[in-house]
Amino acid sequence: MTRPDPDAAPDLERTSMPRAADLPAQGRETASSWGRRLLIGAVLLWFAALILIPGGALVRQALAGGWKPLVAALGEPAVRRAFAMSLGITLVATVVNTIFGIAMALVLVRQRFFGRALVDGMVDMPFAVSPIVAGLMLIVLYGPDTAVGGWLESRGFPVIYALPGMILATMFVTVPFVVRELVPILRELGDEYEQAAHTLGAGRWRTFWSVTLPSIRWGVAYGVTLTVARCLGEFGAVLVVSGNVIGHTQTATLYIAEGIDSFHAEGAYAASLVLAAASFVLLVGMDLVRVRLEGAKEVEP
């Protein structure tokens, strides 16, 4: 008589337990369908609670009195100055961070130097540091009582509580967007085409404009879109370095906060609706850019 081996694996073919493949197909489909519905419902509920319902509440509040009060509120001089300040800061910060973001991405990917890993890691610091802390860092360096800030102010170039400080604060919080968008693209592309251009006699500038930039153009566009969106909505760092002087250093976001605090919320609601609409347009634009970027990657060999 042969004794059963206790260490032997159970023979699944002879066990009476049903396998998943042996379950009725209709039962599996029903369970899977209910699981999908629960997952979709939970995701939509979470999305509506955090985005759709608050957004709808803002639209309803801004349009509570109709279009005329909304247009009148947006036509006030303080609102127009605040939006002009935001757009000017956004333009300067986006242009500077785009140029240096492309250069930094190229340096991080194409060059080898001591401390490259440290610089690569610190690019993300604005993502981790609170904007309030970022503004405080600028005050510590460029404040009127510091050596650098006092020297600049004595020559008629104040930084803190003035436009240069607001631009610096906005640039600080938007540094990573272009860099982080381009670094993986450049690593994936490699430098074979650039080396081929050099071999054919093209200089560095010719290679950059004819080979490198066309290859990363959609990544640049995506990074610029993210930078613009963040510049328009920046609040904390700009609040610390600007002083929020009405008519001088007040951006659109600072105007909204001041309107809520002073119980003159009509203009704040109108400005909030414009910023939210601008963000929506930018999000749609980003999605279109992302589709083009993915399409370009599929076409490239």
Side-chain angles (χ1 to χ4, degrees):
M1 181 177 179
T2 305
R3 294 181 179 179
D5 185 0
D7 297 331
D11 189 353
L12 296 179
E13 296 293 338
R14 297 179 181 177
T15 57
S16 58
M17 293 180 63
R19 298 177 303 176
D22 297 332
L23 292 174
Q26 185 176 1
R28 295 201 312 273
E29 291 177 358
T30 302
S32 175
S33 175
W34 275 106
R36 280 202 311 272
R37 290 174 184 174
L38 286 174
L39 177 62
I40 293 172
V43 169
L44 291 180
L45 182 63
W46 168 76
F47 179 73
L50 293 181
I51 305 249
L52 289 182
I53 295 176
L58 173 63
V59 173
R60 183 177 64 83
Q61 187 65 37
L63 297 174
W67 286 98
K68 286 186 177 179
L70 176 70
V71 175
L74 292 176
E76 293 181 359
V79 179
R80 287 189 277 117
R81 282 196 297 268
F83 272 102
M85 181 73 73
S86 289
L87 292 175
I89 293 173
T90 298
L91 176 63
V92 176
T94 301
V95 170
V96 175
N97 274 354
T98 299
I99 294 173
F100 283 95
I102 294 172
M104 191 165 194
L106 287 170
V107 168
L108 289 176
V109 176
R110 298 284 189 261
Q111 307 298 324
R112 297 290 181 271
F113 57 92
F114 177 76
R116 185 175 67 93
L118 177 63
V119 175
D120 193 7
M122 290 191 67
V123 170
D124 293 329
M125 193 172 75
F127 285 151
V129 173
S130 166
I132 300 293
V133 177
L136 184 61
M137 291 164 62
L138 293 177
I139 287 181
V140 169
L141 179 60
Y142 296 108
D145 297 329
T146 64
V148 177
W151 183 82
L152 290 172
E153 195 158 333
S154 66
R155 283 151 179 79
F157 191 76
V159 176
I160 302 302
Y161 310 126
L163 183 60
M166 301 167 69
I167 294 174
L168 281 176
T170 307
M171 288 170 54
F172 179 90
V173 299
T174 55
V175 160
F177 291 108
V178 173
V179 180
R180 280 293 167 245
E181 194 60 35
L182 294 184
V183 164
I185 296 175
L186 288 168
R187 284 175 178 160
E188 185 177 352
L189 285 173
D191 60 351
E192 290 82 3
Y193 294 106
E194 296 170 0
Q195 294 294 340
H198 287 308
T199 304
L200 294 173
R204 291 186 180 275
W205 277 109
R206 178 73 181 276
T207 302
F208 173 77
W209 288 109
S210 302
V211 178
T212 307
L213 188 58
S215 302
I216 62 174
R217 62 187 185 283
W218 291 113
V220 174
Y222 198 67
V224 168
T225 307
L226 292 173
T227 303
V228 171
R230 179 58 191 275
C231 288
L232 289 174
E234 177 51 34
F235 175 75
V238 173
L239 174 65
V240 173
V241 302
S242 69
N244 195 15
V245 180
I246 298 174
H248 295 281
T249 61
Q250 190 175 60
T251 62
T253 52
L254 298 182
Y255 173 83
I256 293 170
E258 192 268 337
I260 298 296
D261 291 339
S262 61
F263 301 101
H264 293 90
E266 293 81 9
Y269 291 141
S272 299
L273 184 61
V274 172
L275 284 181
S279 299
F280 177 77
V281 172
L282 286 172
L283 286 174
V284 173
M286 280 194 297
D287 194 56
L288 293 176
V289 170
R290 182 183 58 79
V291 172
R292 294 294 301 270
L293 182 61
E294 292 176 351
K297 287 181 179 178
E298 292 177 356
V299 170
E300 288 170 358

